[in-house]
């Protein structure tokens, strides 16, 4: 992996499982501070075939809340695109208890316009937070549905590590141009979200 600077943007080269080199271009960084929402409303277009969000130390203001997201098209701000998702969790307690892998039907979506759960319930202790990534594929396509894959880990409110895997798609052939993130209740007290474009080197 190498990191260079080009036109004041960070470029990070990575190699995928097939051995092909990909370039990650940092497009935007937003830092939450008692924020009700964090929205990305530009830079998501046909320039890159895939995009990636990084969630860094997302700390909720309200105990036992979930990180969620939705998307929208054009200049719309309703953030209510129809989506279908799957959601499963691997978790393990600090005391060594309850090592479990489970599918959770309470947090998946079936043709829903609700905000989508992408991390487990997180505590508000000073050291509790969420970290992870979300990949979005061909959001500018006017032919296909818009797929996304999410992997997050949180310091759960009951002192568990909880790794969440979410996969799904927005069931629209209209280009997706914007994304919004928020907690299921209350504000995002602190944390950083970065948006990268990904392309073949």
């Amino acid at each position: 992996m190498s990191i260079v600077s080009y036109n004041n943007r960070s470029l990070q080269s990575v190699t995928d499982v097939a051995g092909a080199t990909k370039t990650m271009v940092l497009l935007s960084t937003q830092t939450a501070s008692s924020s009700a929402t964090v929205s990305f409303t530009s830079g998501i277009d046909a320039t890159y075939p895939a995009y990636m969000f990084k969630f860094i130390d997302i700390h909720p203001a309200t105990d036992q809340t979930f990180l969620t997201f939705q998307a929208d098209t054009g200049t719309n701000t309703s953030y209510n695109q129809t989506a279908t998702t799957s959601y499963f969790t691997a978790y393990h307690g600090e005391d060594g208890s309850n090592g479990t892998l489970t599918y959770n039907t309470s947090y998946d979506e079936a043709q829903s316009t609700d905000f989508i759960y992408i991390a487990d319930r997180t505590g508000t202790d000073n050291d509790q937070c969420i970290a992870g990534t979300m990949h979005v594929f061909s959001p500018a396509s006017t032919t296909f549905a818009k797929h996304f894959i999410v992997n997050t880990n949180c310091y759960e409110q009951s002192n568990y590590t909880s790794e969440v895997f979410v996969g799904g798609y927005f069931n629209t052939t209209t280009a997706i141009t914007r994304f919004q993130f928020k907690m299921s209740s209350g504000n995002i007290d602190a944390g950083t979200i970065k948006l990268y474009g990904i392309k073949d080197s």
Side-chain angles (χ1 to χ4, degrees):
M1 180 184 295
S2 60
I3 300 175
V4 298
S5 180
Y6 177 73
N7 289 346
N8 296 318
R9 290 181 173 179
S10 171
L11 300 183
Q12 180 172 304
S13 295
V14 296
T15 301
D16 66 14
V17 294
T21 301
K22 306 291 183 181
T23 298
M24 294 168 49
V25 181
L26 179 61
L27 303 177
S28 180
T29 299
Q30 296 202 45
T31 300
S33 179
S34 298
S35 304
T37 61
V38 174
S39 301
F40 290 81
T41 60
S42 63
I44 301 165
D45 51 32
T47 303
Y48 301 97
Y51 290 82
M52 182 176 72
F53 292 93
K54 286 189 176 182
F55 311 114
I56 303 168
D57 297 341
I58 305 298
H59 183 72
T62 302
D63 199 29
Q64 301 188 41
T65 52
F66 301 77
L67 181 62
T68 70
F69 91 105
Q70 249 289 356
D72 219 329
T73 61
T75 58
N76 298 313
T77 57
S78 298
Y79 296 103
N80 61 352
Q81 293 299 300
T82 300
T84 295
T85 68
S86 59
Y87 183 112
F88 67 95
T89 309
Y91 61 96
H92 188 222
E94 289 182 355
D95 60 0
S97 65
N98 294 327
T100 303
L101 177 67
T102 183
Y103 187 91
N104 198 320
T105 58
S106 298
Y107 307 133
D108 62 6
E109 306 289 348
Q111 292 296 92
S112 171
T113 58
D114 293 341
F115 268 70
I116 298 162
Y117 286 78
I118 55 172
D120 207 350
R121 60 175 64 84
T122 306
T124 53
D125 291 356
N126 290 337
D127 59 348
Q128 293 178 327
C129 64
I130 300 162
T133 59
M134 180 172 82
H135 294 267
V136 180
F137 302 92
S138 299
S141 172
T142 55
T143 302
F144 298 111
K146 313 304 184 293
H147 291 274
F148 52 87
I149 299 171
V150 190
N151 180 207
T152 59
N153 198 78
C154 81
Y155 192 161
E156 204 242 19
Q157 97 282 356
S158 299
N159 296 324
Y160 284 79
T161 179
S162 181
E163 186 176 9
V164 166
F165 303 85
V166 175
Y169 57 85
F170 290 108
N171 197 3
T172 179
T173 56
T174 302
I176 295 288
T177 59
R178 51 191 55 213
F179 292 84
Q180 186 175 90
F181 301 90
K182 66 180 183 179
M183 303 308 298
S184 57
S185 179
N187 291 342
I188 302 175
D189 181 61
T192 300
I193 303 177
K194 292 178 177 286
L195 171 63
Y196 294 84
I198 302 177
K199 64 179 180 179
D200 294 333
S201 297

